[in-house]
Amino acid sequence: MKNEKAVAAERQEELVRWERRCRKIQHGLRIAMMVMVLFTGVMTMAFADPLAPITELSKFIGNAIKAIGMIILLFGVVQVGLSVKSHDATQRSQGFLTFLGGVIIAFAQDILTMVTGG
């Protein structure tokens, strides 16, 4: 059986380990509280203007449509390139239509602001 000094030393080591764990947990909780306070401040600034989320959503949707238009535009370029290689007039006309459709979709937002003057 272990003597009392060994048992006391083991208990002391275990207490030291628990204190380290508690310090780590306290440190994590402090960081979590700072992050929560920071996000609360950011959220109050974000909701100060009620139209800001709607504006951001509109920008996001506009950028998504622009990206889709660019993909279609590139697909049209590939179709035209393949049609030139294979001498296929139908594929060439389809490629040009796809290219022009991609240009219109990619720059739809810019075209609308130009037409409306806004």
Side-chain angles (χ1 to χ4, degrees):
M1 203 163 174
K2 295 182 183 180
N3 61 11
E4 291 178 21
K5 287 185 181 181
V7 171
E10 285 180 9
R11 286 184 182 165
Q12 187 66 28
E13 287 177 15
E14 191 170 335
L15 284 174
V16 169
R17 277 186 266 149
W18 276 104
E19 286 178 2
R20 287 180 187 157
R21 287 180 189 162
C22 288
R23 279 191 223 131
K24 287 180 183 179
I25 291 171
Q26 286 176 346
H27 183 69
L29 288 174
R30 285 184 190 130
I31 290 175
M33 289 296 287
M34 287 191 300
V35 168
M36 287 173 48
V37 168
L38 177 69
F39 280 134
T40 303
V42 170
M43 286 173 47
T44 55
M45 287 189 297
F47 291 118
D49 181 18
L51 295 178
I54 295 171
T55 305
E56 292 299 319
L57 180 64
S58 174
K59 287 180 184 177
F60 174 75
I61 291 172
N63 289 337
I65 290 173
K66 189 173 280 195
I68 291 169
M70 288 293 182
I71 292 169
I72 293 172
L73 185 142
L74 290 174
F75 183 69
V77 169
V78 169
Q79 270 190 327
V80 170
L82 290 175
S83 70
V84 169
K85 184 178 180 182
S86 67
H87 303 291
D88 186 6
T90 307
Q91 186 179 7
R92 186 175 305 144
S93 65
Q94 190 68 33
F96 279 119
L97 288 175
T98 304
F99 174 76
L100 291 175
V103 168
I104 290 172
I105 293 171
F107 298 108
Q109 195 172 19
D110 299 328
I111 293 170
L112 285 174
T113 55
M114 187 177 63
V115 168
T116 59

